[in-house]
Protein backbone atom coordinates (compact mmCIF):
# COMPACT_ATOMS: atom_id res chain seq x y z
CA UNK A 1 0.00 0.00 0.00
CA UNK A 2 2.82 2.41 0.88
CA UNK A 3 4.42 1.72 -2.48
CA UNK A 4 1.10 2.26 -4.24
CA UNK A 5 0.52 5.58 -2.45
CA UNK A 6 4.09 6.69 -3.25
CA UNK A 7 3.57 5.81 -6.86
CA UNK A 8 0.33 7.79 -6.95
CA UNK A 9 2.00 10.80 -5.37
CA UNK A 10 4.90 10.58 -7.82
CA UNK A 11 2.70 10.19 -10.90
CA UNK A 12 1.83 13.92 -11.31
CA UNK A 13 5.50 14.85 -10.95
CA UNK A 14 6.52 12.25 -13.49
CA UNK A 15 3.78 13.33 -15.89
CA UNK A 16 4.84 16.98 -15.62
CA UNK A 17 8.47 16.05 -16.24
CA UNK A 18 7.48 13.96 -19.27
CA UNK A 19 5.44 16.85 -20.69
CA UNK A 20 8.50 19.10 -20.49
CA UNK A 21 11.13 16.61 -21.67
CA UNK A 22 9.21 14.72 -24.33
CA UNK A 23 8.55 17.65 -26.70
CA UNK A 24 12.17 18.77 -26.35
CA UNK A 25 13.34 15.29 -27.29
CA UNK A 26 11.45 15.49 -30.59
CA UNK A 27 12.21 19.14 -31.42
CA UNK A 28 15.24 19.06 -33.67
CA UNK A 29 16.61 22.44 -34.66
CA UNK A 30 17.93 23.37 -38.05
CA UNK A 31 20.97 25.43 -39.00
CA UNK A 32 21.74 28.71 -40.73
CA UNK A 33 20.10 28.21 -44.12
CA UNK A 34 21.23 31.59 -45.46
CA UNK A 35 24.56 31.30 -47.30
CA UNK A 36 24.67 35.04 -48.03
CA UNK A 37 27.07 36.79 -45.64
CA UNK A 38 26.57 40.45 -46.52
CA UNK A 39 29.80 42.53 -46.57
CA UNK A 40 29.65 45.04 -43.69
CA UNK A 41 30.67 48.39 -45.23
CA UNK A 42 28.53 50.56 -47.49
CA UNK A 43 31.31 50.81 -50.10
CA UNK A 44 31.95 47.05 -50.22
CA UNK A 45 30.77 44.89 -53.06
CA UNK A 46 27.51 43.04 -52.66
CA UNK A 47 29.19 39.67 -52.18
CA UNK A 48 32.80 40.48 -51.25
CA UNK A 49 34.72 42.94 -49.11
CA UNK A 50 37.02 45.67 -50.40
CA UNK A 51 40.39 46.78 -48.92
CA UNK A 52 38.94 49.96 -47.42
CA UNK A 53 38.45 51.28 -43.92
CA UNK A 54 36.86 54.25 -42.22
CA UNK A 55 38.99 57.16 -41.09
CA UNK A 56 39.74 57.22 -37.37
CA UNK A 57 36.84 58.55 -35.33
CA UNK A 58 34.28 58.34 -38.16
CA UNK A 59 31.39 55.94 -38.54
CA UNK A 60 29.21 54.29 -41.14
CA UNK A 61 25.83 52.58 -41.25
CA UNK A 62 23.80 50.71 -43.84
CA UNK A 63 20.80 48.47 -44.43
CA UNK A 64 20.44 45.74 -47.04
CA UNK A 65 17.87 43.23 -48.18
CA UNK A 66 18.47 39.89 -49.90
CA UNK A 67 15.89 37.73 -51.66
CA UNK A 68 16.69 34.16 -52.71
CA UNK A 69 14.59 31.53 -54.49
CA UNK A 70 14.89 27.85 -53.54
CA UNK A 71 17.53 28.63 -50.92
CA UNK A 72 17.79 25.25 -49.15
CA UNK A 73 17.17 21.79 -50.57
CA UNK A 74 17.18 18.60 -48.53
CA UNK A 75 17.68 15.01 -49.66
CA UNK A 76 14.98 12.47 -48.77
CA UNK A 77 15.48 8.78 -48.01
CA UNK A 78 13.67 7.76 -51.20
CA UNK A 79 16.19 9.67 -53.33
CA UNK A 80 13.94 12.67 -53.89
CA UNK A 81 14.42 16.22 -52.67
CA UNK A 82 12.62 18.53 -50.28
CA UNK A 83 12.59 22.31 -50.71
CA UNK A 84 13.11 23.10 -47.03
CA UNK A 85 13.34 26.83 -47.77
CA UNK A 86 11.76 27.80 -51.10
CA UNK A 87 11.72 31.56 -50.63
CA UNK A 88 14.03 33.55 -48.38
CA UNK A 89 13.94 37.28 -47.58
CA UNK A 90 16.51 38.62 -45.12
CA UNK A 91 17.13 42.14 -43.81
CA UNK A 92 20.59 43.30 -42.64
CA UNK A 93 21.57 46.23 -40.43
CA UNK A 94 25.23 47.34 -40.41
CA UNK A 95 27.22 49.64 -38.15
CA UNK A 96 30.93 50.48 -38.42
CA UNK A 97 33.44 52.63 -36.54
CA UNK A 98 36.86 53.71 -37.80
CA UNK A 99 39.88 53.55 -35.50
CA UNK A 100 43.46 54.67 -36.25
CA UNK A 101 42.57 55.31 -39.92
CA UNK A 102 43.28 51.77 -41.10
CA UNK A 103 41.30 49.74 -38.57
CA UNK A 104 37.51 49.50 -38.75
CA UNK A 105 35.24 47.71 -36.29
CA UNK A 106 31.94 46.48 -37.73
CA UNK A 107 28.75 44.74 -36.64
CA UNK A 108 26.03 43.08 -38.73
CA UNK A 109 22.61 41.96 -37.53
CA UNK A 110 20.72 39.74 -40.00
CA UNK A 111 16.98 39.21 -39.60
CA UNK A 112 14.93 36.71 -41.64
CA UNK A 113 11.66 38.51 -42.38
CA UNK A 114 10.13 35.90 -44.70
CA UNK A 115 10.98 32.23 -45.23
CA UNK A 116 8.63 29.82 -46.97
CA UNK A 117 9.29 26.13 -47.40
CA UNK A 118 8.45 22.49 -46.75
CA UNK A 119 10.10 21.87 -43.37
CA UNK A 120 8.03 19.06 -41.87
CA UNK A 121 7.91 17.06 -38.68
CA UNK A 122 8.40 13.95 -40.84
CA UNK A 123 11.95 15.15 -41.49
CA UNK A 124 12.62 15.59 -37.78
CA UNK A 125 12.54 19.36 -38.17
CA UNK A 126 10.65 21.89 -36.13
CA UNK A 127 10.67 25.16 -38.10
CA UNK A 128 8.79 28.43 -37.95
CA UNK A 129 9.71 29.67 -41.40
CA UNK A 130 7.01 32.33 -41.52
CA UNK A 131 8.01 34.10 -38.32
CA UNK A 132 10.48 36.90 -37.68
CA UNK A 133 13.58 35.67 -35.86
CA UNK A 134 17.01 37.13 -35.23
CA UNK A 135 19.97 35.71 -37.09
CA UNK A 136 23.51 35.32 -35.79
CA UNK A 137 25.14 38.64 -34.87
CA UNK A 138 28.46 39.17 -36.67
CA UNK A 139 31.16 41.22 -34.91
CA UNK A 140 34.36 41.91 -36.79
CA UNK A 141 37.35 44.10 -37.57
CA UNK A 142 39.07 45.03 -40.82
CA UNK A 143 42.68 46.11 -41.10
CA UNK A 144 43.79 47.88 -44.27
CA UNK A 145 47.38 46.86 -44.98
CA UNK A 146 47.89 49.52 -47.66
CA UNK A 147 46.34 52.78 -48.75
CA UNK A 148 43.09 52.35 -50.72
CA UNK A 149 43.58 51.52 -54.40
CA UNK A 150 43.62 54.56 -56.69
CA UNK A 151 45.19 55.65 -59.95
CA UNK A 152 48.61 56.48 -58.48
CA UNK A 153 48.63 53.47 -56.11
CA UNK A 154 46.54 50.83 -57.85
CA UNK A 155 46.79 47.89 -55.43
CA UNK A 156 44.99 47.64 -52.09
CA UNK A 157 45.27 44.87 -49.48
CA UNK A 158 43.38 44.16 -46.25
CA UNK A 159 42.42 41.40 -43.84
CA UNK A 160 39.08 40.96 -42.11
CA UNK A 161 38.12 38.78 -39.17
CA UNK A 162 34.72 38.22 -37.60
CA UNK A 163 32.89 36.19 -34.99
CA UNK A 164 29.34 35.01 -35.68
CA UNK A 165 27.65 34.83 -32.31
CA UNK A 166 24.74 32.34 -32.00
CA UNK A 167 22.01 34.89 -31.25
CA UNK A 168 19.68 33.40 -33.87
CA UNK A 169 17.08 30.66 -33.86
CA UNK A 170 17.98 27.16 -35.09
CA UNK A 171 14.31 26.29 -35.29
CA UNK A 172 13.84 29.12 -37.80
CA UNK A 173 16.91 28.00 -39.80
CA UNK A 174 18.67 31.23 -38.79
CA UNK A 175 21.59 29.91 -36.71
CA UNK A 176 24.05 27.04 -36.38
CA UNK A 177 23.74 27.30 -32.61
CA UNK A 178 27.51 27.72 -32.08
CA UNK A 179 30.11 30.45 -32.48
CA UNK A 180 31.57 30.61 -35.99
CA UNK A 181 34.76 32.32 -37.14
CA UNK A 182 35.33 34.00 -40.50
CA UNK A 183 38.81 35.12 -41.64
CA UNK A 184 39.30 36.77 -45.05
CA UNK A 185 42.20 38.13 -47.11
CA UNK A 186 41.18 40.97 -49.45
CA UNK A 187 42.82 42.46 -52.55
CA UNK A 188 41.79 44.99 -55.20
CA UNK A 189 43.48 46.65 -58.17
CA UNK A 190 42.24 49.59 -60.24
CA UNK A 191 43.09 51.45 -63.41
CA UNK A 192 41.53 54.60 -64.87
CA UNK A 193 38.31 52.85 -65.89
CA UNK A 194 38.55 49.29 -64.55
CA UNK A 195 38.61 47.50 -61.21
CA UNK A 196 39.47 43.93 -60.20
CA UNK A 197 39.10 42.40 -56.79
CA UNK A 198 39.18 39.13 -54.94
CA UNK A 199 38.89 37.56 -51.49
CA UNK A 200 39.94 34.21 -50.02
CA UNK A 201 38.82 33.10 -46.60
CA UNK A 202 37.63 30.37 -44.27
CA UNK A 203 34.34 30.12 -42.39
CA UNK A 204 34.22 27.63 -39.55
CA UNK A 205 30.91 25.84 -39.00
CA UNK A 206 29.89 22.96 -36.76
CA UNK A 207 29.16 19.70 -38.54
CA UNK A 208 25.39 19.26 -38.52
CA UNK A 209 23.42 16.64 -40.43
CA UNK A 210 19.77 17.18 -41.20
CA UNK A 211 17.37 16.14 -43.97
CA UNK A 212 20.14 14.64 -46.07
CA UNK A 213 22.37 17.72 -45.85
CA UNK A 214 25.60 18.36 -43.97
CA UNK A 215 27.18 21.60 -42.82
CA UNK A 216 30.83 22.14 -41.96
CA UNK A 217 33.86 24.41 -42.25
CA UNK A 218 34.32 25.80 -45.77
CA UNK A 219 36.62 27.72 -48.04
CA UNK A 220 35.19 31.01 -49.33
CA UNK A 221 36.41 32.51 -52.61
CA UNK A 222 35.06 35.59 -54.40
CA UNK A 223 36.12 37.69 -57.37
CA UNK A 224 34.87 40.82 -59.13
CA UNK A 225 35.67 42.89 -62.21
CA UNK A 226 34.02 45.83 -63.89
CA UNK A 227 33.99 49.45 -64.97
CA UNK A 228 34.46 52.51 -62.75
CA UNK A 229 33.80 56.17 -63.53
CA UNK A 230 33.45 59.59 -61.91
CA UNK A 231 36.36 59.12 -59.49
CA UNK A 232 34.82 55.82 -58.39
CA UNK A 233 31.34 57.32 -57.96
CA UNK A 234 29.95 54.64 -60.29
CA UNK A 235 30.85 50.96 -60.47
CA UNK A 236 29.25 48.40 -62.79
CA UNK A 237 30.51 44.84 -62.90
CA UNK A 238 30.17 41.17 -62.11
CA UNK A 239 30.73 39.42 -58.79
CA UNK A 240 31.17 35.69 -58.37
CA UNK A 241 31.54 33.76 -55.14
CA UNK A 242 32.00 30.15 -54.08
CA UNK A 243 31.63 28.27 -50.81
CA UNK A 244 33.51 24.96 -50.89
CA UNK A 245 33.17 22.59 -47.91
CA UNK A 246 36.38 20.92 -46.74
CA UNK A 247 34.91 17.65 -45.46
CA UNK A 248 31.98 16.84 -47.76
CA UNK A 249 30.55 17.47 -51.21
CA UNK A 250 28.14 20.26 -52.09
CA UNK A 251 30.05 23.33 -53.26
CA UNK A 252 27.85 26.38 -53.80
CA UNK A 253 28.38 29.14 -56.39
CA UNK A 254 26.63 32.43 -57.20
CA UNK A 255 27.05 35.14 -59.82
CA UNK A 256 25.76 38.71 -59.44
CA UNK A 257 25.59 41.64 -61.85
CA UNK A 258 26.11 44.64 -59.56
CA UNK A 259 25.80 48.43 -59.77
CA UNK A 260 27.02 50.87 -57.10
CA UNK A 261 26.44 54.64 -57.00
CA UNK A 262 28.13 57.02 -54.54
CA UNK A 263 26.49 60.39 -53.92
CA UNK A 264 28.35 63.30 -52.27
CA UNK A 265 31.06 60.72 -51.34
CA UNK A 266 28.94 59.77 -48.33
CA UNK A 267 25.79 57.99 -49.51
CA UNK A 268 26.34 54.68 -51.26
CA UNK A 269 23.61 52.62 -52.96
CA UNK A 270 24.11 49.20 -54.55
CA UNK A 271 21.84 46.76 -56.35
CA UNK A 272 22.53 43.38 -57.92
CA UNK A 273 20.97 40.13 -59.07
CA UNK A 274 22.04 36.83 -60.57
CA UNK A 275 21.77 33.03 -60.60
CA UNK A 276 23.06 30.31 -58.37
CA UNK A 277 25.36 27.82 -60.10
CA UNK A 278 26.20 24.22 -59.37
CA UNK A 279 24.36 21.51 -57.45
CA UNK A 280 25.20 22.50 -53.87
CA UNK A 281 22.30 21.93 -51.51
CA UNK A 282 22.46 25.56 -50.28
CA UNK A 283 22.68 27.14 -53.74
CA UNK A 284 19.68 29.37 -54.56
CA UNK A 285 18.21 29.40 -58.04
CA UNK A 286 18.32 33.20 -58.05
CA UNK A 287 19.28 36.04 -55.72
CA UNK A 288 18.56 39.79 -55.71
CA UNK A 289 20.28 42.19 -53.30
CA UNK A 290 19.88 45.91 -52.56
CA UNK A 291 21.80 48.06 -50.07
CA UNK A 292 21.97 51.71 -49.09
CA UNK A 293 24.30 53.21 -46.55
CA UNK A 294 26.24 56.13 -45.19
CA UNK A 295 29.98 56.35 -44.77
CA UNK A 296 32.10 59.36 -43.86
CA UNK A 297 33.66 61.02 -46.92
CA UNK A 298 37.18 60.24 -45.67
CA UNK A 299 36.99 56.57 -46.63
CA UNK A 300 40.50 55.11 -46.48
Amino acid sequence: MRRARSACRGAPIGLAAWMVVAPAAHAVGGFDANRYLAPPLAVDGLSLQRPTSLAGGTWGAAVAISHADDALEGRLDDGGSSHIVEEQLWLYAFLALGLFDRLTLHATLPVPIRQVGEAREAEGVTARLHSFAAGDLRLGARLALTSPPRDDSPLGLAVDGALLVPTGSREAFASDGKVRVQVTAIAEAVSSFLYFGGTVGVLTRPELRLAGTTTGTMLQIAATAGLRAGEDAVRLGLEGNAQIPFAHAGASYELLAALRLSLFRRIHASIGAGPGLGAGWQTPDFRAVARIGWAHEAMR
Side-chain angles (χ1 to χ4, degrees), residues 5 18 28 34 51 64 70 72 84 89 102 113 146 156-157 173 176 186 188 190 192 201 224 285-286 288 290:
R5 283 194 293 269
W18 179 86
V28 179
N34 182 20
D70 204 6
L72 177 62
I84 298 177
L89 186 66
R102 288 193 176 184
I113 57 178
T146 67
L157 300 172
F173 284 95
D176 282 357
I186 308 165
E188 182 179 291
V190 300
S192 298
T224 184
D285 290 341
F286 178 83

Side-chain angles (χ1 to χ4, degrees), residues 211-237:
T213 65
T214 303
T215 68
T217 297
M218 62 183 64
L219 176 68
Q220 296 179 309
I221 302 173
T224 184
L227 303 172
R228 59 194 290 262
E231 297 184 350
D232 225 18
V234 179
R235 284 195 173 200
L236 175 63

Side-chain angles (χ1 to χ4, degrees), residues 1 19 30 43 61 66 70-71 77 100-101 106 119 131 136 147 154 175 191 194 196 214 217 228 231 246 292 297 300:
M1 290 294 292
M19 292 176 66
V43 295
S66 168
D70 204 6
D77 293 337
F100 314 118
D101 285 352
H106 55 80
S131 66
D136 285 348
S147 298
S175 175
S191 67
L194 301 174
F196 306 91
T214 303
T217 297
R228 59 194 290 262
E231 297 184 350
F246 285 111
I292 187 167
E297 62 181 348
R300 299 297 179 98

